Amino acid sequence: MKKFFCLFMVLALSLTLSACSSEPKVEEEKEEVFETFVRGEWNDNVYTNDYLGFSFTLPENWVVASDEELLSMLETATDEMLTEEMKEQYDKAIESAQSFYEFAIFNLTTGESMMLNIEDLSKTVGAILVSEDQFIDGLETNFGSIEGVEIEILDREDVSLSMGKFRVLNVNVNDVMTQKYYVMKDGKYMVSFIVGFLNQTHDGVDSILEQIQ
């Protein structure tokens, strides 16, 4: 099961720079004032995010990545931008991060997982104009640079969750894992739920998604 977790992490980290690969069709950016993302909170096994407006209860046997583990993931993707002070505290590190993980939850027994990625498009020139589909285009481009992994692009669909309509990219990985990238633009942020599960094993993931639909 550990190798599936590692595989999921490789694909999840490919999301962090996907917007940079897209070219917005609009020629000029407009000066706009956007709300600043506010992190959600865990209360025992219940996660609540007032900024995005959703909540869910963690299914049985799932675990939550600590801020230290989230920081390690952030360092993996953007090591050069982190100062020593930032590395000591996750909330401090994400203040200047282009992209970060709000949470990561896993069931290493079943191979199911979910992460919430937040990308601040205003930190990349022109990216504030990128649409959900253009963002996904960049993600697909990044997939092509991953060695030793067979990724089959299945389809895209629209799915409504409690906080809005998401564009969803469905992919098959090495013919054993399904990953779904739920992408929604919210102000200056691209909000992405990254869902992964071994084929035919997704009761836990379904339980979470049902709570936020």
Side-chain angles (χ1 to χ4, degrees), residues 123-138:
K123 288 185 166 63
T124 302
V125 176
I128 197 70
L129 306 175
V130 171
S131 68
E132 287 93 344
D133 272 308
Q134 288 174 308
F135 189 86
I136 291 174
D137 288 343

Side-chain angles (χ1 to χ4, degrees), residues 129-208:
L129 306 175
V130 171
S131 68
E132 287 93 344
D133 272 308
Q134 288 174 308
F135 189 86
I136 291 174
D137 288 343
L139 175 59
E140 292 185 3
T141 298
N142 284 353
F143 282 159
S145 65
I146 302 175
E147 298 181 358
V149 179
E150 287 189 27
I151 301 175
E152 178 187 5
I153 306 297
L154 299 177
D155 55 24
R156 299 184 189 187
E157 59 182 327
D158 292 318
V159 174
S160 293
L161 300 179
S162 61
M163 66 289 297
K165 181 178 288 186
F166 285 74
R167 192 70 170 147
V168 183
L169 171 67
N170 299 297
V171 305
N172 180 280
V173 185
N174 287 352
D175 206 29
V176 295
M177 175 186 287
T178 296
Q179 282 202 292
K180 293 175 174 284
Y181 296 82
Y182 291 72
V183 178
M184 179 188 74
K185 191 172 183 179
D186 181 63
K188 67 175 182 176
Y189 300 105
M190 198 66 79
V191 178
S192 305
F193 288 99
I194 312 163
V195 172
F197 53 85
L198 301 182
N199 295 338
Q200 309 304 319
T201 307
H202 46 81
D203 288 346
V205 164
D206 290 345
S207 172
I208 296 171

Side-chain angles (χ1 to χ4, degrees), residues 56-59 62 105 114 204-212:
F56 67 87
T57 300
L58 199 67
W62 282 59
I105 55 177
M114 177 184 283
V205 164
D206 290 345
S207 172
I208 296 171
L209 291 174
E210 286 171 4
Q211 294 179 64
I212 61 179

Side-chain angles (χ1 to χ4, degrees), residues 83-99:
T83 65
E84 289 302 317
E85 180 183 1
M86 291 175 181
K87 291 178 182 180
E88 293 177 359
Q89 185 179 353
Y90 188 64
D91 284 344
K92 185 67 176 178
I94 65 177
E95 287 180 5
S96 58
Q98 172 186 321
S99 176

Side-chain angles (χ1 to χ4, degrees), residues 113-125:
S113 53
M114 177 184 283
M115 297 181 182
L116 174 56
N117 178 269
I118 307 296
E119 180 143 350
D120 187 343
L121 300 176
S122 69
K123 288 185 166 63
T124 302
V125 176

Side-chain angles (χ1 to χ4, degrees), residues 27-45:
E27 293 184 357
E28 294 183 4
E29 290 188 34
K30 296 181 180 180
E31 288 290 335
E32 295 187 55
V33 177
F34 299 104
E35 292 185 29
T36 300
F37 179 81
V38 179
R39 294 191 69 195
E41 295 182 349
W42 286 98
N43 184 3
D44 293 328
N45 65 336

